[in-house]
Amino acid sequence: MNHIYQKNKILCVLQVRGGSKGVPKKNIREVNGKPLMTWTIESAKKSNVFDSIWVSSDSDEIIEVGRKEEVNTIKRPEELSGDEVLSVDSLHWAVNEIEGLYGIKYDYVVELLSIASFMFNIISANLKSISLSMLIEYLSSIT
């Protein structure tokens, strides 16, 4: 069985905004001794699924945490950082920028939420067990 993560280029992007309204700076607040987003970054690294892991943010503090965790970072423009901006729009921008910087075309893009870090082990296990044909079959059934 050909697994998705073995034969395809997979990009992981964490879009991490600095302007959280509910819990200010939640993405860089410490949870069990580490910034919240660090848990997701570590899980993404341990999964060995992604060819490249990026943090996209409008915040210099968040970018710095990404750099400390030794992942790639990209500063999102202000017009793609507000409350009214759709995640898909800022993700599309980030992917285009990343692919343009390195001349790499990714087969798949996975957006991980920094607040979902503790669920990532489950996601990673499922991604490793899924084949490309299974994914295509599933996507066909929901469209």
Side-chain angles (χ1 to χ4, degrees):
M1 182 184 307
N2 291 330
H3 296 289
I4 265 181
Y5 73 98
Q6 291 175 326
K7 296 202 175 216
N8 295 284
K9 290 197 175 302
I10 304 176
L11 171 65
C12 174
V13 179
L14 283 79
Q15 296 197 97
V16 189
R17 278 188 43 204
S20 174
K21 292 190 189 289
V23 179
K25 297 187 178 187
K26 73 175 177 229
N27 295 303
I28 56 175
R29 279 200 171 177
E30 287 207 1
V31 175
N32 202 21
K34 301 176 191 176
L36 177 62
M37 64 183 272
T38 295
W39 291 98
T40 304
I41 292 168
E42 288 178 353
S43 294
K45 286 178 172 181
K46 287 178 191 172
S47 76
N48 293 316
V49 168
F50 304 110
D51 294 285
S52 189
I53 301 169
W54 286 75
V55 169
S56 169
S57 183
D58 58 335
S59 163
D60 290 332
E61 287 179 288
I62 289 170
I63 293 289
E64 185 56 34
V65 171
R67 287 183 180 142
K68 285 181 184 174
E69 295 305 317
E70 299 179 346
V71 295
N72 300 300
T73 60
I74 190 165
K75 184 81 182 263
R76 196 161 55 231
E78 191 174 316
E79 63 269 13
L80 290 173
S81 300
D83 290 338
E84 305 300 316
V85 176
L86 298 176
S87 176
V88 68
D89 292 334
S90 56
L91 181 61
H92 187 263
W93 173 86
V95 171
N96 284 337
E97 290 292 310
I98 292 164
E99 287 183 337
L101 282 172
Y102 293 98
I104 296 172
K105 182 76 174 154
Y106 289 92
D107 299 303
Y108 297 97
V109 175
V110 176
E111 178 185 14
L112 295 180
L113 304 176
S114 65
I115 59 172
S117 57
F118 299 105
M119 293 195 55
F120 186 71
N121 290 332
I122 296 166
I123 295 165
S124 175
N126 288 327
L127 187 58
K128 285 183 176 182
S129 67
I130 195 169
S131 69
L132 183 56
S133 60
M134 291 169 63
L135 178 64
I136 291 169
E137 182 179 327
Y138 171 73
L139 292 175
S140 299
S141 73
I142 61 170
T143 57

